[in-house]
Amino acid sequence: MYDYGNRKQKILQGHTNSITAISVSKQNRWFASADTGNNSMIVVWENSGAKLDSLGQKPETEGLLNAFPIKNIFDPHDGFGVMSIAFTPDSKYLITLGNEPKQKICIWDWTKVGQEKDKPVLSLEIVGERQNGLKVNQQDGLEIMTIGLGAIYFFSYDKGVSEIKQHIPAISAKDFKFLPSGYSAGAFSPNAGQAIIGTKDGDVILFSNKSLSNMTATLERGNKCAIKFIRLHQAAVTFIDNALGKYIITGGEDGIIKLFDLNLRILFWFDKLASGPILSVLYSPHSDTLFEDSSIPELLVATKQAKVYLLSRSNSATIPFRPKTYVQSNEDTYVTSSKYHTNTLSAEDEKKSINPEVTLVMQGQYGKITSLVPHPELPIFAVSGDSGLIQVWDYNTKMLVCSRLITEQHHKKDKKADEAQQENPIPVESLCYSKSGKTLAAGFVNGTIKFMDSNDLVDLPQTKQSGLSLHGYKVSNVAITKIAFSLDGSYCAVTDAEHVISILQKQVVKVNLDSGLKRRTSGETVEEDRIKHARQRIEWSFIGRRKTHYKKVIGNLNKVTYIVALLFTTRENVPILYSVSKDRHVVEYDLKNSSATDGIAVKSIRRIEQLYYPEAAILYSKMNNSHNEEFIMTFNSAFKFKLYSLETQLCRKTSLGPTFGGLLSSIHMIQHTETKYMAFVSQNIIGFGKLPLDGNPFRFIGFVGHPFEISNLVSTYNGGNILTAGGQDGCVNMWTLNASVLESQIIAGGEKMDPFLNMLDPSGKGVQGDIYREFEDYFYYAQIKTQGEDVSVDRIVGDTVPLSQVPFIIQAMGYYPSNMEIDDMINEIKYSRFSEGETEEVKEVTLNEIIKLYLNHRPETSVSSEDLEIALSHAKRLEPGKGVPLGPVTKVRRNQTIKTEGLVSIMQQFGESMGIQESKKVFNELLFQKDPYYGNLPSQFTTSEFVENILGMNPTEEVDNPPSTKAA
């Protein structure tokens, strides 16, 4: 709900899918929303502001946006959901058009209470073509119309009758010169028995309850015949409705609004919005009139370019005012004014005419949002996407600061000179502010990066590059997926969809009329030289490109396209760049020794994962008593958060992350008072967590934030709010953390070890449970083992065991970590006090610490048949006599044989490699007493034989677990 007069908005939450239909009752007191998809529902809301108004009470400004659900209908239309919905004139019934394969129309008595309250009182399966929209006759609530691309249908019913009748209207080529190519909109006319249907050709067809053959006889309710074709628009009619029972309003794909009397005689038209096709036109019967000498109400117009305009009465007759336009190359920059007038008039006509005033009340992104970035020092953010429109918004005032549509010029040889130049918007894939906030960089799908002044979105100075249709730096031939600036603003790193890292450096260009351009490297202070030296200017210089990763590079965001996260920090005042990738490697770049002649220098490449891969990564600083320690925090495909030392990439902490909603795609830190929290995104779910992370599941909370997958998550410059972009829904939402809710959940989860003991033993027995007792037995046995099993002296029973015993206790509990995972566990305990400012290594560990270690490191999901079959498929590819495996692996069938050589080959090449002799020894011990093998692995075997007989495993089938994220 949006109060455009006071620029205030209220988000109403309840649906879990994209909302497909909304209808408002005639009294404006109730409105209904519906969706399609899993767990679809119809929600009826009561508008408390309209309720007070109906009772003769004037609501306060805040009350206008108060609405609450009063009725839910779950899984309508057999769970397929609703495509269109409408109230009857008396508001007692809801009529819905379903999304079933065989569509139905249903009538719901939503005020009814009782056992059958969630079942429709009437329903009918539609015979004929699929329908997209539904309208109810507001003069006769017993008459319904549906509109489809190739057909329209009318329906009728009578009160007290238990059936709905379908009527197919009569329209014949004998009566008209041609038939419509398709239908696009429709509405009932206030004239009794008439309906108006819009077509794809720009015509409207008038249907009546009288036929051309006999205009005196009235047809039965619901029966209609086409009696007239009228051309109203030059393109498809996209909207039709009636207003005040006096007027017919139409909107077209040509962007024109027209208003007619009931005999379809033109009264008014408006064609100067220039914002794409008209989607809808609304009015309020209580609003002012559009003109002094008519009752035409003020109009709210929504267009396909995500703009909503208010057409109101003009206070003065002035010439049209357009937003200020700055033209540079082939792109237009708009510093947008919220008001401008309409038609272009001569000075003489202007004195005679009174034009409607047009107010832009809402503007958004049309198309998918791919990039969202906050300003580092101001309460503004920049957003863009497939539309090519870059917008900068002030999120305090909810006002558009400036915008710019980026276009690319193409030339066609077969056109005339005045028609040869065509400009097409270029989709924006990524945005990033410099750390000072003075520069905004934009990456495009064509591989170009553009640097702009963040105040007005004007291009920064650049030496012209020949052959480019877009001003900027052409660093790739594919989409620029991620951009990052160094802290001092002297470097910019970008990555593209092919995992290639490109680096640009800020330089001073000295202009010399005799010798051209001379370059020298500079720091941040160079910007002051723009005024002091008229012949010097700042430019970005391309250093080079390097492909250091072979899979997706990940980071703060994760989209459908290739994602790159580039993490900048400083060491001894020198910029340092890191990249983290799904190839399980972290790369550190040596920017100091990188140049245009020598290319990009790499300082180190380290593997950080063995089996799983990172899904998101950010820089994380942890303060302690002596110094500030920096880490790379990742979330991997095993639902684990991991902290890696920034300098050595040594794993210092592993903790279980949130498991609801799926894998995380974005992480952000929030500074809330003195406590640190984190925000994260998983598909369409927004979550918050409290730091430091320890694996306690009660430290995370989540909720549905958007109907589709969230494309971007960022925090505002002061950490007070979170901004999210919904990708396909074209919306940016701003959220404030209510920390008390999360803190209450943490308290409700229990103190100290309670949450972990419940994870260890879901029965809730805690320390009295069998699993805890078994853990305790192994813990004390480890003490006996360290002190000697065969000694006769008294043993000392303590609260700790040596660090060397941790792997044995973990393995005894059924989790068999790899050597790399064992090293991570040992290092986590050994250096656990370093982050607290201590320098002494930990050598002893308590039982509670081992339990936490076990819970945080063990796999969250079981090994499934799918996992094992994929691994054996890789072994099949590596059998001797086959060529080098290329392309995706072909999954083996359960009865397909695999040679032992392929299995040994994969054990040698992947993971912690095992040689031939070691492999034979392992299988000899595994099969030593097993019939019919007796220590020998067969020369070939099937998938089911290997899993069930050789390994002796009973793999689980994945039902509720997320899809497999493991490699071979």
Side-chain angles (χ1 to χ4, degrees):
M1 298 179 68
Y2 182 56
D3 178 0
Y4 59 85
N6 297 293
R7 292 190 176 275
K8 292 186 177 181
Q9 182 175 261
K10 178 73 175 292
I11 297 176
L12 305 178
Q13 293 179 282
H15 293 274
T16 58
N17 303 295
S18 177
I19 295 173
T20 53
I22 290 180
S23 179
V24 181
S25 66
K26 197 171 184 178
Q27 302 82 7
N28 291 329
R29 181 172 174 179
W30 301 283
F31 60 95
S33 56
D35 62 45
T36 60
N38 294 328
N39 301 315
S40 59
M41 62 191 302
I42 299 171
V43 182
V44 180
W45 310 78
E46 182 167 23
N47 183 353
S48 58
K51 178 181 179 181
L52 292 174
D53 188 55
S54 66
L55 298 175
Q57 304 176 24
K58 187 176 181 180
E60 299 292 334
T61 301
E62 295 295 333
L64 293 173
L65 294 179
N66 284 335
F68 50 89
I70 58 174
K71 173 75 173 182
N72 293 332
I73 300 175
F74 297 100
D75 296 320
H77 290 268
D78 300 323
F80 288 96
V82 173
M83 292 187 66
S84 187
I85 189 170
F87 279 96
T88 55
D90 60 4
S91 303
K92 183 179 180 182
Y93 296 96
L94 279 171
I95 303 179
T96 58
L97 172 66
N99 191 41
E100 309 98 322
K102 294 183 178 180
Q103 285 181 295
K104 289 182 181 179
I105 280 186
C106 292
I107 301 175
W108 311 79
D109 184 354
W110 66 271
T111 61
K112 185 179 180 181
V113 294
Q115 187 176 1
E116 303 296 324
K117 61 180 180 179
D118 285 346
K119 292 186 177 181
V121 294
L122 289 176
S123 67
L124 174 71
E125 185 177 304
I126 298 175
V127 178
E129 296 188 26
R130 189 166 184 81
Q131 303 291 283
N132 302 318
L134 173 145
K135 292 290 181 72
V136 174
N137 192 340
Q138 295 301 308
Q139 281 68 44
D140 181 2
L142 304 179
E143 196 171 35
I144 308 163
M145 170 175 60
T146 62
I147 305 106
L149 179 61
I152 55 171
Y153 303 120
F154 292 90
F155 303 85
S156 64
Y157 66 99
D158 292 315
K159 292 183 178 178
V161 178
S162 60
E163 67 173 352
I164 303 174
K165 295 180 181 180
Q166 180 177 347
H167 310 274
I168 300 177
I171 178 170
S172 172
K174 296 179 181 179
D175 299 324
F176 303 98
K177 293 181 179 179
F178 59 90
L179 294 178
S181 60
Y183 302 102
S184 53
F188 284 98
S189 170
N191 284 341
Q194 291 187 350
I196 303 172
I197 305 299
T199 73
K200 293 286 185 181
D201 310 303
D203 300 313
V204 296
I205 308 173
L206 182 63
F207 285 86
S208 175
N209 58 355
K210 295 177 171 50
S211 67
L212 286 174
S213 58
N214 186 357
M215 294 297 291
T216 59
T218 302
L219 302 176
E220 182 185 352
R221 174 188 285 144
N223 287 322
K224 296 283 188 289
C225 289
I227 61 172
K228 189 181 293 185
F229 266 73
I230 306 174
R231 173 61 56 93
L232 297 186
H233 291 266
Q234 298 304 313
V237 179
T238 55
F239 177 82
I240 300 177
D241 202 359
N242 69 76
L244 301 178
K246 300 179 181 181
Y247 308 105
I248 301 296
I249 304 173
T250 67
E253 202 169 72
D254 51 14
I256 301 175
I257 304 161
K258 296 185 178 182
L259 190 139
F260 306 84
D261 65 12
L262 297 186
N263 294 318
L264 294 180
R265 293 176 295 197
I266 187 72
L267 300 177
F268 163 75
W269 75 88
F270 189 80
D271 59 358
K272 300 298 181 182
L273 287 180
S275 296
I278 305 299
L279 295 183
S280 64
V281 183
L282 302 177
Y283 72 95
S284 171
H286 307 297
S287 67
D288 292 336
T289 58
L290 197 58
F291 304 105
E292 291 183 1
D293 57 348
S294 76
S295 59
I296 299 174
E298 293 181 344
L299 302 176
L300 272 174
V301 183
T303 72
K304 195 173 182 179
Q305 292 186 4
K307 295 180 181 179
V308 178
Y309 295 96
L310 174 66
L311 273 63
S312 58
R313 185 189 303 180
S314 175
N315 295 323
S316 61
T318 59
I319 60 173
F321 175 76
R322 285 287 183 181
K324 178 181 176 183
T325 303
Y326 172 87
V327 180
Q328 175 179 325
S329 299
N330 304 317
E331 306 92 30
D332 293 334
T333 303
Y334 302 102
V335 181
T336 305
S337 169
S338 62
K339 294 185 178 181
Y340 58 88
H341 295 80
T342 58
N343 302 308
T344 303
L345 303 172
S346 66
E348 184 178 351
D349 291 337
E350 175 199 341
K351 297 177 182 178
K352 301 177 182 178
S353 175
I354 299 177
N355 296 296
E357 186 173 273
V358 178
T359 306
L360 180 64
V361 299
M362 182 181 288
Q363 182 176 6
Q365 285 283 325
Y366 53 98
K368 180 182 177 182
I369 295 178
T370 58
S371 49
L372 172 69
V373 58
H375 194 282
E377 297 179 354
L378 298 174
I380 60 177
F381 66 85
V383 62
S384 190
D386 290 350
S387 64
L389 178 66
I390 301 175
Q391 296 175 316
V392 179
W393 290 86
D394 185 321
Y395 54 76
N396 284 341
T397 63
K398 313 299 187 296
M399 294 287 291
L400 183 66
V401 178
C402 60
S403 65
R404 178 176 180 180
L405 179 64
I406 308 296
T407 60
E408 184 176 26
Q409 190 179 86
H410 296 281
H411 297 276
K412 292 187 176 181
K413 297 180 180 179
D414 57 338
K415 295 288 183 180
K416 297 179 181 179
D418 57 344
E419 298 177 354
Q421 187 169 294
Q422 291 189 347
E423 294 184 353
N424 299 318
I426 306 177
V428 178
E429 188 68 21
S430 53
L431 292 172
C432 186
Y433 277 105
S434 64
K435 301 306 176 184
S436 64
K438 297 178 180 179
T439 301
L440 177 64
F444 299 88
V445 295
N446 64 359
T448 302
I449 181 170
K450 180 188 285 291
F451 296 96
M452 297 168 286
D453 188 318
S454 62
N455 292 322
D456 51 16
L457 301 183
V458 175
D459 289 335
L460 294 181
Q462 173 191 343
T463 303
K464 186 175 181 181
Q465 294 181 326
S466 61
L468 296 182
S469 57
L470 177 65
H471 184 85
Y473 298 84
K474 183 74 171 178
V475 298
S476 176
N477 292 320
V478 293
I480 304 298
T481 56
K482 184 66 179 174
I483 307 172
F485 284 95
S486 61
L487 299 181
D488 64 357
S490 60
Y491 289 93
C492 177
V494 303
T495 189
D496 61 26
E498 293 180 345
H499 338 299
V500 177
I501 306 292
S502 300
I503 295 178
L504 298 96
Q505 185 180 15
K506 186 181 287 185
Q507 294 185 343
V508 166
V509 177
K510 186 174 182 180
V511 179
N512 190 313
L513 298 179
D514 297 326
S515 59
L517 300 177
K518 185 179 179 181
R519 300 174 183 245
R520 65 179 177 84
T521 306
S522 68
E524 182 75 359
T525 57
V526 170
E527 294 190 5
E528 300 177 0
D529 296 339
R530 295 178 74 177
I531 301 175
K532 295 179 181 179
H533 304 285
R535 298 181 180 229
Q536 287 185 346
R537 70 183 185 193
I538 298 173
E539 283 192 13
W540 287 93
S541 177
F542 181 69
I543 298 298
R545 305 173 73 237
R546 182 157 183 169
K547 189 168 185 176
T548 52
H549 297 285
Y550 65 90
K551 281 194 177 181
K552 296 180 185 179
V553 188
I554 58 89
N556 287 351
L557 316 172
N558 198 353
K559 310 173 190 174
V560 176
T561 56
Y562 291 112
I563 311 304
V564 174
L566 303 169
L567 310 175
F568 265 111
T569 185
T570 57
R571 190 179 302 143
E572 298 177 355
N573 296 323
V574 176
I576 303 295
L577 173 65
Y578 294 90
S579 62
V580 186
S581 168
K582 284 194 175 183
D583 63 7
R584 306 180 182 92
H585 288 86
V586 173
V587 179
E588 180 181 350
Y589 301 87
D590 187 356
L591 300 181
K592 189 175 181 180
N593 294 314
S594 300
S595 64
T597 55
D598 299 329
I600 301 175
V602 171
K603 194 170 184 179
S604 66
I605 301 178
R606 292 187 175 93
R607 186 183 181 101
I608 59 171
E609 290 279 1
Q610 187 177 48
L611 183 62
Y612 303 97
Y613 51 82
E615 292 284 345
I618 57 169
L619 286 177
Y620 173 59
S621 298
K622 191 172 183 180
M623 294 294 295
N624 56 48
N625 298 331
S626 61
H627 67 286
N628 183 24
E629 195 169 10
E630 286 192 306
F631 298 93
I632 295 176
M633 176 188 283
T634 68
F635 181 86
N636 69 11
S637 54
F639 297 91
K640 312 289 186 184
F641 283 108
K642 288 197 169 188
L643 291 181
Y644 297 94
S645 172
L646 188 60
E647 294 189 17
T648 63
Q649 280 81 65
L650 184 71
C651 183
R652 293 277 299 278
K653 178 75 175 178
T654 299
S655 60
L656 179 64
T659 57
F660 49 82
L663 299 173
L664 304 191
S665 58
S666 179
I667 314 169
H668 247 283
M669 294 298 158
I670 308 173
Q671 186 67 45
H672 186 84
T673 63
E674 296 181 355
T675 307
K676 271 192 174 183
Y677 296 88
M678 70 183 307
F680 53 83
V681 162
S682 172
Q683 298 179 16
N684 66 335
I685 292 177
I686 302 170
F688 293 94
K690 184 178 180 181
L691 299 172
L693 301 174
D694 60 0
N696 182 354
F698 293 98
R699 295 174 80 93
F700 302 106
I701 194 170
F703 54 90
V704 175
H706 290 265
F708 300 104
E709 184 175 357
I710 297 172
S711 60
N712 304 81
L713 167 75
V714 296
S715 61
T716 55
Y717 77 102
N718 57 3
N721 300 97
I722 286 293
L723 299 169
T724 59
Q728 296 287 356
D729 67 12
C731 291
V732 175
N733 291 337
M734 185 166 70
W735 310 85
T736 300
L737 172 64
N738 185 356
S740 61
V741 177
L742 181 57
E743 295 292 345
S744 299
Q745 178 176 286
I746 295 172
I747 294 172
E751 298 180 349
K752 297 180 180 179
M753 285 296 295
D754 291 345
F756 300 97
L757 293 178
N758 289 332
M759 291 170 63
L760 183 68
D761 188 354
S763 68
K765 294 181 180 179
V767 295
Q768 303 299 324
D770 294 338
I771 300 178
Y772 181 86
R773 291 292 179 86
E774 184 179 2
F775 230 126
E776 196 175 40
D777 289 342
Y778 292 136
F779 178 79
Y780 289 119
Y781 177 69
Q783 292 188 23
I784 295 174
K785 188 177 179 182
T786 1
Q787 297 177 33
E789 297 178 84
D790 300 326
V791 297
S792 57
V793 297
D794 293 339
R795 296 182 178 86
I796 301 172
V797 178
D799 297 328
T800 62
V801 296
L803 205 53
S804 59
Q805 295 299 312
V806 170
F808 302 113
I809 299 175
I810 296 291
Q811 290 168 350
M813 289 301 299
Y815 168 43
Y816 298 92
S818 65
N819 291 335
M820 183 178 179
E821 291 169 332
I822 289 173
D823 291 340
D824 288 346
M825 287 189 285
I826 298 298
N827 291 330
E828 180 176 331
I829 300 171
K830 184 185 293 186
Y831 304 113
S832 58
R833 294 177 187 169
F834 278 40
S835 58
E836 300 172 3
E838 299 182 14
T839 56
E840 186 177 350
E841 295 180 0
V842 176
K843 299 179 179 179
E844 302 275 330
V845 60
T846 65
L847 175 60
N848 287 345
E849 289 173 336
I850 297 177
I851 291 175
K852 287 184 179 180
L853 200 69
Y854 168 77
L855 294 172
N856 282 317
H857 281 263
R858 69 176 180 178
E860 182 61 21
T861 57
S862 303
V863 177
S864 68
S865 297
E866 181 79 7
D867 296 324
L868 294 170
E869 288 169 6
I870 290 174
L872 290 173
S873 299
H874 284 277
K876 182 71 177 177
R877 300 180 73 178
L878 296 174
E879 289 180 352
K882 296 185 177 181
V884 178
L886 298 173
V889 65
T890 302
K891 187 177 175 182
V892 296
R893 299 183 298 274
R894 297 187 71 88
N895 60 350
Q896 191 173 358
T897 59
I898 301 161
K899 294 182 180 180
T900 302
E901 290 88 344
L903 178 64
V904 173
S905 180
I906 199 173
M907 294 172 68
Q908 288 177 314
Q909 297 181 45
F910 297 97
E912 295 174 351
S913 61
M914 300 174 65
I916 296 177
Q917 296 303 321
E918 187 178 4
S919 300
K920 288 182 177 180
K921 180 181 178 182
V922 168
F923 282 110
N924 181 268
E925 293 177 355
L926 180 65
L927 305 173
F928 181 68
Q929 294 182 335
K930 186 173 288 188
D931 183 33
Y933 308 108
Y934 297 110
N936 296 316
L937 188 65
S939 59
Q940 60 182 21
F941 45 81
T942 64
T943 302
S944 56
E945 180 186 4
F946 181 79
V947 173
E948 298 170 13
N949 298 339
I950 297 176
L951 296 183
M953 297 177 65
N954 183 21
T956 61
E957 298 293 338
E958 287 188 320
V959 178
D960 297 324
N961 289 341
S964 175
T965 54
K966 304 183 187 70

